[in-house]
Amino acid sequence: MTIDALSEVRGPARTPVAWMRPGHIGYVGPDLGVDSHSPSVAMLSVGLDAPLVLHTSAHGRIRTGSSFAPARTTQRIVATEGWILALFVEPAGAPSTTIVDEMTSAAGSFGLNHRRERELVERCRAEKINPDHIYACAIAGTAPPADPRIEQVAATIRTDPSQTFRADRIAANLGLSTTHFLRLFTQQYGTTFRGYQRWNRMIHTVRKAVAGHDLTRSAIDAGFATPSHFSETFRDLIGLSATTMLRAGIRFDLGTSPTQ
């Protein structure tokens, strides 16, 4: 998409918004100066006013209208102008393959130029943003059938992120070897068993903090050993500090609790 085409869907200045849903977490707003990071889940980024610049160690700088990074890949996204969409797709909601199929080109493991890029821009520039419509537009395809055993394990992690789950015990309860269980989990959820636990602890912490609870207490309650452990995890997964995000004037739409 050209800069001229993008400029056609610009709207008046509004308050940045971030949302949390059971299957996806998103942000629409100005570039927050995110550093290189490696999320535990897949991430789709879209330039809403101009192309983005994707920075990777293997490919250098890539200018693109939108980019997709699989879970656990290191990247840095910079908006050349205006606002961006950053959509973290939790594997429980839709395997990353449904977005990969919508990218029209690639650079290694990174997908470039989403097929519905223009529609995504328009939905993000709507007077009232609907996160579920943005998500549906991004994934487009139908997720492959899920193994109910693995799905139940992930649901338990989301329900009680503070608990430390051991892969060997879960595998034994399922009648599987630990290696086979871990392979099935990664295949179905697009990230590691441990990475999925870290992601959900972080989401639980942020949800509580946005709801008005003390950030430090929320981090401990979510299962982080120390506040610094949470801070390091957040920066590694998101690319900036939690404090910076919470003080950025963002309107948070918490939607439905992921435990419901």
Side-chain angles (χ1 to χ4, degrees):
M1 182 180 295
T2 67
I3 294 178
D4 289 340
L6 281 162
S7 67
E8 293 175 8
V9 293
R10 291 183 186 178
R14 298 189 304 277
T15 301
V17 60
W19 64 85
M20 294 183 182
R21 296 290 190 273
H24 51 106
I25 294 162
Y27 167 76
V28 171
D31 191 329
L32 296 177
V34 174
D35 296 326
S36 294
H37 59 292
S38 180
S40 293
V41 298
M43 180 181 177
L44 174 69
S45 303
V46 181
L48 302 182
D49 295 313
L52 304 167
V53 175
L54 166 66
H55 296 257
T56 76
S57 59
H59 306 286
R61 293 162 49 94
I62 301 174
R63 187 179 175 89
T64 179
S66 56
S67 69
F68 171 77
R72 295 175 292 138
T73 52
T74 302
Q75 63 165 349
R76 181 176 176 235
I77 294 291
V78 177
T80 58
E81 180 183 344
W83 282 25
I84 65 170
L85 162 66
L87 183 65
F88 296 90
V89 181
E90 295 191 43
S96 59
T97 53
T98 59
I99 298 183
V100 171
D101 292 341
E102 295 303 311
M103 308 309 290
T104 60
S105 58
S109 61
F110 294 91
L112 306 174
N113 302 311
H114 194 284
R115 196 182 313 277
R116 291 174 174 80
E117 188 176 292
R118 176 57 180 262
E119 183 178 348
L120 284 166
V121 171
E122 292 174 343
R123 291 184 181 277
C124 291
R125 282 302 182 188
E127 184 175 349
K128 185 175 181 180
I129 291 176
N130 187 317
D132 296 314
H133 288 175
I134 293 172
Y135 172 69
C137 181
I139 65 170
T142 301
D147 185 325
R149 300 170 300 175
I150 307 303
E151 189 173 9
Q152 182 57 49
V153 171
T156 301
I157 292 173
R158 295 194 301 273
T159 300
D160 187 10
S162 63
Q163 183 176 339
T164 299
F165 296 94
R166 290 185 51 178
D168 56 346
R169 292 180 179 177
I170 292 176
N173 289 336
L174 295 177
L176 303 171
S177 70
T178 302
T179 301
H180 187 44
F181 164 70
L182 291 174
R183 183 167 60 249
L184 286 176
F185 191 96
T186 299
Q187 288 174 348
Q188 183 160 319
Y189 283 83
T191 192
T192 64
F193 178 66
R194 179 176 296 179
Y196 193 66
Q197 292 183 72
R198 283 205 312 160
W199 177 258
N200 280 278
R201 285 175 178 167
M202 186 194 71
I203 296 308
H204 179 84
T205 302
V206 173
R207 179 177 288 275
K208 289 290 187 180
V210 169
H213 297 271
D214 177 73
L215 180 60
T216 297
R217 183 71 260 169
S218 298
I220 298 300
D221 290 345
F224 287 101
T226 63
S228 62
H229 182 209
F230 163 72
S231 297
E232 292 168 1
T233 298
F234 191 94
R235 183 173 287 279
D236 179 50
L237 298 182
I238 303 298
L240 75 166
S241 72
T243 302
T244 297
M245 185 192 73
L246 293 171
R247 293 178 178 175
I250 300 170
R251 178 176 66 83
F252 288 90
D253 176 356
L254 297 183
T256 302
S257 170
T259 62
Q260 295 179 343

